[in-house]
Amino acid sequence: MKYNQLGKSRIQVSAIGFGCMSLGPDHAANATLLHRALDAGITLLDTADLYDKGENEVSVGKALRGRRQEVILATKVGNQWRPDDSGWDWNPRKAYILQAVERSLRRLQTDYLDLYQLHGGTVEDPIDETIEAFELLKEQGKIRAYGISSIRPNVIREYVRKSGIASVMMQYSLLDRRPEESSLALLHEHQISVLARGSYAQGLLAGKPAKPYLNYPAAEVQRAAEAVRQVAEQAGSAAEVAVGFVLAKPVVASAVLGIRTEEQLRAALQAAEAGALATEQLQTLRHALPPNQYEQHR
């Protein structure tokens, strides 16, 4: 397993991260899967207080009893459940973050988080106040680093300019190259890492039948999948190639993959052990279809 520094922090994360959102309600089964991932060298575990109304954090916390020091534990904040459970509202206020972190710490059965991430954000947010909350939590030793989970270039630019974020989690794949428009270069310049999600593009790059995806019609999705299969004839499985495309960007510290089954864990570990794609292979992938660009969230 390869490990990469997370931004300017002292944190090292595994090149493949375990996306815990996919975990089911069986705590014992989740613990077995997470332990096998840890045994194989996956150290980055990513969850959020939003997932299953906090029960995802509870399950991860149960699994980590006795193994907390082996893990880079990341969770997220900003989506506040309504008292009647009818949904959630966006709340990036300092007071809420300082309350929410205590609940996450209890559910995860830990006294600190390695990475605390704002789970979204807009340029209309009280960004200075949000940053104050994260910086205070760092001073208190409750978090080691903080970041944001966002695809919005304007939001990313504001946090790069104003804060000490270590990372940005964003969707990135051969079928979603919008981060290449501006965000990847900006983050690389400022030594802020990317945690990439959606590397398989809902499985469309790993064997699922083609269908429209973002602004790509099914025919173009099919063309991208065929390019992946072409490269996979030389470089392993389609899943390995899809992940290899993402990890080819130096700014990407980890590809966070949703894992729920043993089969998915095996595929993730195979991707972790795969060699880097050659320049010619990356060119084949990039030439398969024109990159998409942001049409909203400017």
Side-chain angles (χ1 to χ4, degrees):
M1 179 71 67
K2 182 182 178 184
Y3 300 89
N4 298 308
Q5 182 177 342
L6 188 72
K8 297 176 185 176
S9 75
R10 297 182 179 180
I11 298 171
Q12 295 281 321
V13 295
S14 51
I16 298 297
F18 193 122
C20 297
M21 183 177 72
S22 301
L23 292 173
D26 187 329
H27 295 320
N30 293 343
T32 297
L33 200 61
L34 286 166
H35 289 174
R36 288 179 180 167
L38 291 177
D39 292 341
I42 292 178
T43 57
L44 175 61
L45 307 185
D46 178 75
T47 180
D49 60 3
L50 178 67
Y51 303 157
D52 199 18
K53 299 179 182 177
E55 285 303 304
N56 195 270
E57 288 183 327
V58 169
S59 196
V60 171
K62 288 178 180 293
L64 294 184
R65 287 175 184 162
R67 303 195 68 168
R68 173 66 182 93
Q69 298 305 315
E70 302 173 46
V71 173
I72 301 302
L73 186 55
T75 192
K76 309 183 195 75
V77 66
N79 295 290
Q80 182 176 15
W81 281 99
R82 298 172 191 144
D84 62 2
D85 283 342
S86 63
W88 62 86
D89 298 305
W90 179 240
N91 189 347
R93 310 297 307 205
K94 179 179 179 180
Y96 175 68
I97 292 171
L98 297 181
Q99 293 171 3
V101 72
E102 300 297 337
R103 292 190 285 268
S104 285
L105 290 170
R106 284 196 297 271
R107 288 190 290 260
L108 289 162
Q109 300 185 41
T110 184
D111 56 3
Y112 73 97
L113 301 169
D114 296 286
L115 179 65
Y116 203 28
Q117 302 160 99
L118 186 68
H119 204 173
T122 73
V123 290
E124 286 77 35
D125 289 346
I127 291 176
D128 292 339
E129 182 179 327
T130 303
I131 294 169
E132 283 179 13
F134 285 124
E135 290 289 349
L136 177 59
L137 292 174
K138 277 188 70 176
E139 290 175 13
Q140 294 173 340
K142 294 179 180 179
I143 66 174
R144 296 176 63 196
Y146 65 96
I148 62 172
S149 177
S150 179
I151 64 170
R152 298 180 169 107
N154 277 350
V155 173
I156 291 169
R157 277 191 287 270
E158 283 298 292
Y159 277 91
V160 169
R161 185 171 68 88
K162 292 183 172 183
S163 78
I165 56 172
S167 63
V168 176
M169 175 171 278
M170 61 175 66
Q171 184 167 290
Y172 180 51
S173 73
L174 180 60
L175 282 171
D176 189 355
R177 294 170 62 188
R178 293 175 297 176
E180 295 179 4
E181 185 179 346
S182 64
S183 296
L184 295 188
L186 176 68
L187 294 172
H188 185 65
E189 176 188 352
H190 290 271
Q191 296 177 268
I192 297 167
S193 293
V194 169
L195 302 178
R197 60 180 177 82
S199 303
Y200 297 149
Q202 298 178 355
L204 297 172
L205 297 173
K208 286 191 176 181
K211 65 176 183 179
Y213 184 79
L214 298 178
N215 61 319
Y216 291 122
E220 290 193 327
V221 171
Q222 180 66 29
R223 192 157 67 245
E226 288 172 357
V228 169
R229 283 195 293 270
Q230 178 184 339
V231 173
E233 291 176 0
Q234 305 168 332
S237 69
E240 290 173 42
V241 172
V243 173
F245 175 83
V246 169
L247 291 177
K249 292 290 186 182
V251 70
V252 177
S254 185
V256 180
L257 306 178
I259 300 172
R260 186 182 181 122
T261 66
E262 291 282 353
E263 182 181 2
Q264 291 170 343
L265 177 58
R266 283 194 297 271
L269 294 174
Q270 287 172 354
E273 298 304 320
L277 295 177
T279 301
E280 298 79 10
Q281 293 168 334
L282 290 169
Q283 287 176 344
T284 296
L285 297 172
R286 290 179 181 133
H287 293 161
L289 71 172
N292 42 8
Q293 294 186 326
Y294 288 105
E295 298 175 0
Q296 300 176 357
H297 310 313
R298 290 283 183 180

